[in-house]
Amino acid sequence: MFCKIVSGDVPATIVRETETTVAFRDINPQAPTHVLVIPRLHHPDAASLAAAAPEVAADILREAGNVAADEKLVETGYRVVFNTGSGAGQTVFHAHAHILGGRGMQWPPG
Ligand code: AMP
């Protein structure tokens, strides 16, 4: 599914793009700002991506910060989440960072 967003075959509200990453709004937002940052390369989760292409994993984190700055979340704070495995709520097995902000966040997360 996310490979099809990268290729343009599935539409998405893209907010940022780099040579290695695409950032777009989550279709089912869980906060006023909810953006996903994905690698153009397909890897099933963040750990697999980091093992195979650490420079692209770093690009995802850099873009997470750039999304937060663009969305004016830096002062109020934001959360970056990599759900890993279905037991942790992962439903799409193409590595992605969730950037969530614009409301108070609970800790520990549910
Ligand atoms: P996860 O549950 O961590 O695997 O996150 C997958 C996320 O992808 C969920 O928050 C979904 O709402 C989101 N999602 C699924 N399909 C799309 C899509 N076509 N465009 C945007 N977000 C999507």
Side-chain angles (χ1 to χ4, degrees):
M1 162 61 79
F2 286 177
C3 284
K4 290 188 174 171
I5 290 177
V6 171
S7 66
D9 293 322
V10 166
T13 305
I14 292 173
V15 296
R16 293 184 61 87
E17 286 188 87
T18 70
E19 208 173 294
T20 57
T21 68
V22 181
F24 53 95
R25 296 200 188 280
D26 196 291
I27 205 167
N28 182 24
Q30 301 301 311
T33 295
H34 188 173
V35 171
L36 304 176
V37 183
I38 68 170
R40 291 183 187 275
L41 286 174
H42 181 89
H43 290 282
D45 57 44
S48 308
L49 172 67
E55 68 290 352
V56 179
D59 293 343
I60 297 281
L61 291 180
R62 188 178 312 107
E63 280 298 285
N66 288 336
V67 166
D70 288 355
E71 302 284 329
K72 309 211 177 328
L73 299 175
V74 175
E75 270 192 28
T76 51
Y78 60 94
R79 188 165 286 169
V80 180
V81 174
F82 293 92
N83 292 327
T84 303
S86 54
Q90 186 176 6
T91 57
V92 176
F93 290 83
H94 180 129
H96 53 280
H98 295 258
I99 318 307
L100 296 147
R103 64 166 170 79
M105 296 281 161
Q106 305 298 313
W107 191 262

